[in-house]
């Protein structure tokens, strides 16, 4: 059974930084996608960025510049560096993962519903 565990959230003031971690365990396979998503109260989940197991990353336009993801494939850990946080960044941050079947034309995708395994989330609260 695959487990995906996100951690590192907390409360910070505007302009502050946090580093989130997402650790995967279990039979994920060697080819996979991992992505960070967030969901603010009353809103749909939105993707921040994703990476495949080879470290190829894709950012959603609104995330570029302040947020950075990085992958440690050996540890199956995806990091999310959040810099210059703003109050509108307050949300539950989720990590999700899916196997990547390249030979079948697989791709990582943008919607959290496309990901097979999802963690419990870590809360980020930014105050002014």
């Amino acid at each position: 059974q695959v487990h995906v565990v996100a951690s590192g959230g907390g409360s910070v003031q505007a302009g502050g930084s946090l580093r989130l971690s997402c650790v995967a365990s279990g039979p994920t396979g060697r080819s996979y996608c991992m992505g960070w998503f967030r969901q603010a109260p009353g809103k749909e989940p939105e993707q921040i960025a994703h990476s495949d197991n080879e470290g190829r990353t894709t950012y959603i336009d609104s995330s570029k510049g302040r947020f950075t993801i990085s992958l440690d494939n050996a540890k199956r850990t995806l990091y999310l560096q959040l810099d210059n946080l703003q109050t509108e960044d307050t949300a539950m941050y989720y990590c999700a993962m899916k196997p990547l079947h390249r030979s079948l034309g697989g791709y990582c995708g943008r919607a959290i519903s496309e990901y097979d395994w999802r963690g419990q989330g870590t809360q980020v609260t930014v105050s002014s």
Side-chain angles (χ1 to χ4, degrees):
Q1 187 173 0
V2 174
H3 294 280
V4 180
V5 180
S7 62
S11 297
V12 297
Q13 290 191 321
S17 298
L18 286 171
R19 190 188 193 211
L20 309 185
S21 299
C22 173
V23 182
S25 61
T28 63
R30 288 189 295 180
S31 296
Y32 57 83
C33 300
M34 291 181 79
W36 280 104
F37 301 78
R38 67 181 181 181
Q39 186 172 20
K43 293 188 177 181
E44 293 294 313
E46 61 174 357
Q47 188 180 111
I48 297 169
H50 65 252
S51 175
D52 68 15
N53 59 287
E54 296 181 355
R56 286 185 287 247
T57 59
T58 299
Y59 291 85
I60 305 306
D61 287 345
S62 61
S63 304
K64 292 180 181 177
R66 298 189 296 122
F67 299 167
T68 306
I69 65 169
S70 58
L71 176 72
D72 185 332
N73 186 36
K75 296 181 179 179
R76 288 186 294 176
T77 299
L78 185 69
Y79 302 97
L80 176 63
Q81 179 68 37
L82 305 169
D83 293 320
N84 191 21
L85 283 161
Q86 304 300 311
T87 55
E88 55 266 32
D89 296 319
T90 294
M92 185 69 77
Y93 285 67
Y94 295 94
C95 176
M97 190 176 189
K98 61 179 282 185
L100 181 58
H101 304 294
R102 289 188 175 89
S103 62
L104 300 177
Y107 59 93
C108 289
R110 183 166 175 166
I112 197 169
S113 59
E114 299 178 73
Y115 288 71
D116 296 59
W117 309 297
R118 172 176 165 175
Q120 83 290 354
T122 185
Q123 178 69 36
V124 172
T125 302
V126 185
S127 58
S128 58

